């Protein structure tokens, strides 16, 4: 399975991946998922929001145990973020069949669409739509960098966008959702454990800063006569780092667009996107307030007009304690006491936690690097993750 997925959307020069929602690479990943489902005799479904489902047992029976993740990527992302969870889900089902267990509840494997938000700027679109956290009207307003709307992109890929929206009936049939994911950090490497259990996801969000200045000639305009938005943007980047460090939080400007984007032209507009996360809401609010204040003060000093838009936000997610504790109990006999750790990364499991009981398993990442071609997990640890997931699914779904 891993070898089949490896070339899809892969950049030959960097080794990273471009698997953006509703592109050819995404379509190829979806075809791979469907083929995996059909080769195992699973019931395949595509829901109203473009999320894929593969069912062992009756999809309508209710109280189902669901596992899976996503197959899309960030720009030039790594191979493990998302796909490890999907591949491991199919492998865990294979392991359960090898054990000849009897299923007492339906089991489903899922691939949620557009988790990374690389194309339309909003993370977890598929799960947000299903959970009613993104309305159909707002989804129709999403545009990519070329101005292509989400509905138009879906249509171009052969999907009907007219039905997108909340899917409470489907979510009501889920008794538990368990997502396996490569750890995006080095906590497990420090403790020496191949597998961990998630406790919570930090609150996090994305903000767009639009710095409007005045285009002019770079070779003839005096420094004192300039309204250069790039200066204010640069000062805001530095301020974000300062505020995050003081608060023990995270703040990152990693995406920027410039108009007119000429080497010899002072920009008229610099648009930068801020990603910020913290262990608690109060800290995150303090960091964002500090960044915004610094940006507005610098903008006023340089004669720059500034607009700030919060494009997405996810509050702190505490995974259901009962399900989390059940995972720890199921793993203890064969895996010992599995560490429980928090994360600053968002996931579909975090979105679904408001609607269904959810939990997460992490697989050790020895470098801690993620969202990069250098992202990595050792084969032995990946196998340990599959066995741990199979043990959990057996405890939850089998007699």
């Amino acid at each position: 399975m891993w070898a089949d997925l490896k070339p899809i959307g892969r950049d030959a020069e960097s080794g990273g991946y471009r698997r953006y929602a509703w592109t050819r690479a995404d379509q190829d990943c979806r075809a791979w998922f469907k083929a995996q489902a059909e080769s195992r005799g699973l019931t395949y479904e595509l829901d109203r929001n473009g999320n894929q489902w593969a069912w062992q047992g009756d999809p309508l029976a209710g109280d189902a145990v669901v596992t899976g993740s996503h197959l899309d990527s960030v720009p030039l992302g790594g191979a493990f973020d998302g796909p490890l969870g999907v591949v491991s889900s199919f492998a865990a089902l294979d392991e359960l069949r090898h054990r000849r267990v009897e299923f007492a509840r339906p089991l489903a494997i899922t691939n949620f669409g557009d988790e990374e938000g690389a194309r339309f700027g909003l993370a977890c679109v598929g799960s947000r739509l299903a959970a009613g956290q993104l309305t159909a009207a707002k989804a129709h307003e999403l545009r990519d960098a070329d101005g292509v709307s989400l509905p138009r992109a879906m249509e171009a890929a052969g999907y009907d966008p007219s039905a997108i929206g909340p899917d409470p009936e489907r979510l009501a049939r889920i008794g538990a959702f368990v997502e396996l994911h490569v750890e995006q950090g080095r906590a497990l490497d420090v403790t020496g454990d191949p597998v961990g259990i998630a406790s919570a996801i930090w609150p996090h969000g994305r903000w767009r800063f639009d710095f409007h200045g005045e285009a002019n000639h770079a070779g003839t305009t005096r420094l004192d006569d300039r309204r250069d938005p790039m200066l204010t943007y640069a000062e805001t980047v530095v301020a974000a780092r300062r505020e995050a460090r003081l608060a023990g939080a995270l703040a990152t400007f990693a995406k920027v667009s410039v108009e007119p984007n000429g080497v010899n032209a002072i920009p008229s507009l610099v648009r930068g996107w801020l990603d910020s996360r913290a262990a608690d809401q109060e800290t995150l609010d303090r960091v964002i307030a500090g960044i915004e204040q610094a940006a507005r003060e610098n903008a006023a000093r340089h004669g720059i007009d500034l607009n700030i838009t919060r494009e997405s936000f996810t509050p702190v997610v505490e995974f259901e304690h009962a399900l989390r504790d059940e995972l720890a109990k199921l793993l203890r006999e064969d895996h010992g006491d599995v560490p429980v750790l928090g994360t600053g990364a968002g996931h579909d499991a975090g979105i679904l936690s408001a609607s269904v009981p959810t939990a997460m398993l992490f697989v050790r990442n020895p470098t801690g690097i993620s969202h990069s071609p250098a992202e990595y997990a050792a084969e032995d640890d990946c196998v340990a993750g599959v066995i741990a997931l199979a043990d959990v699914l057996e405890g939850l779904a089998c007699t």
Side-chain angles (χ1 to χ4, degrees):
M1 287 186 287
W2 200 252
D4 289 342
L5 269 179
K6 185 176 181 179
I8 299 176
R10 192 167 188 257
D11 178 74
E13 183 175 347
S14 70
Y17 289 86
R18 292 188 178 93
R19 295 169 174 164
Y20 305 155
W22 308 112
T23 64
R24 176 58 185 271
D26 184 48
Q27 291 298 92
D28 289 345
C29 286
R30 289 170 174 272
W32 172 90
F33 182 96
K34 184 178 182 181
Q36 294 299 322
E38 293 176 343
S39 70
R40 290 169 173 80
L42 303 177
T43 301
Y44 172 78
E45 288 185 321
L46 184 72
D47 71 19
R48 63 190 303 176
N49 296 305
N51 303 311
Q52 294 178 289
W53 301 77
W55 289 90
Q56 163 82 38
D58 183 1
L60 300 178
D63 199 29
V65 176
V66 180
T67 186
S69 191
H70 63 95
L71 294 173
D72 65 313
S73 78
V74 298
L76 296 180
F80 294 82
D81 180 356
L84 180 63
V86 179
V87 170
S88 296
S89 297
F90 283 115
L93 175 60
D94 294 343
E95 169 67 15
L96 292 178
R97 289 178 169 181
H98 178 73
R99 296 177 187 179
R100 299 185 183 278
V101 299
E102 294 290 332
F103 289 89
R105 302 164 68 180
L107 175 69
I109 298 169
T110 187
N111 166 37
F112 283 104
D114 200 5
E115 193 270 357
E116 297 289 6
R119 183 172 182 184
F120 298 102
L122 179 64
C124 301
V125 169
S127 55
R128 284 184 193 273
L129 280 168
Q133 297 180 28
L134 173 65
T135 66
K138 290 293 184 182
H140 278 250
E141 294 175 0
L142 294 175
R143 299 286 189 277
D144 67 10
D146 296 320
V148 178
S149 68
L150 173 62
R152 182 179 163 195
M154 293 179 70
E155 286 179 333
Y159 292 82
D160 180 7
S162 63
I164 62 174
D167 202 352
E169 296 85 0
R170 180 177 296 272
L171 296 188
R173 300 199 301 268
I174 300 175
F177 176 69
V178 181
E179 180 175 3
L180 179 144
H181 205 281
V182 67
E183 187 192 1
Q184 295 168 293
R186 287 189 58 241
L188 292 175
D189 187 57
V190 172
T191 64
D193 295 283
V195 177
I197 298 172
S199 60
I201 298 176
W202 288 9
H204 57 279
R206 299 178 181 183
W207 290 260
R208 191 185 76 238
F209 287 64
D210 297 334
F211 301 92
H212 296 269
E214 182 178 52
N216 216 326
H217 197 297
T220 61
T221 309
R222 296 191 320 147
L223 295 181
D224 290 343
D225 292 339
R226 300 184 180 197
R227 294 178 56 226
D228 185 352
M230 188 65 77
L231 275 178
T232 309
Y233 169 70
E235 290 170 334
T236 304
V237 173
V238 174
R241 178 62 174 265
R242 181 183 66 248
E243 295 295 327
R245 184 180 292 279
L246 288 173
L250 299 169
T252 309
F253 277 98
K255 179 180 177 181
V256 60
S257 68
V258 182
E259 297 178 11
N261 205 27
V263 176
N264 60 349
I266 299 166
S268 60
L269 170 65
V270 175
R271 178 171 286 134
W273 282 264
L274 169 69
D275 178 298
S276 190
R277 307 160 192 244
D280 59 80
Q281 187 65 56
E282 181 181 354
T283 301
L284 181 60
D285 290 342
R286 186 166 67 251
V287 170
I288 297 302
I291 296 170
E292 289 191 1
Q293 180 179 348
R296 295 191 187 283
E297 289 176 353
N298 290 323
R301 186 167 65 252
H302 296 299
I304 303 301
D305 296 323
L306 171 61
N307 296 317
I308 302 174
T309 304
R310 190 178 80 176
E311 292 193 334
S312 68
F313 179 75
T314 302
V316 64
V317 173
E318 283 279 351
F319 290 112
E320 185 180 82
H321 290 196
L323 182 58
R324 184 187 69 193
D325 294 345
E326 181 68 12
L327 262 63
K329 178 182 176 182
L330 291 169
L331 295 176
R332 187 170 293 119
E333 181 176 347
D334 294 330
H335 304 266
D337 288 327
V338 176
V340 179
L341 54 144
T343 178
H347 302 281
D348 291 311
I351 300 298
L352 295 179
S353 66
S355 304
V356 301
T358 60
M360 291 192 71
L361 293 174
F362 290 130
V363 172
R364 176 166 49 192
N365 178 344
T367 66
I369 295 174
S370 188
H371 285 187
S372 158
E375 184 178 80
Y376 177 71
E379 184 173 329
D380 287 348
D381 288 345
C382 292
V383 172
V386 169
I387 299 303
L389 180 60
D391 290 343
V392 166
L393 297 178
E394 182 176 0
L396 295 176
C398 305
T399 56

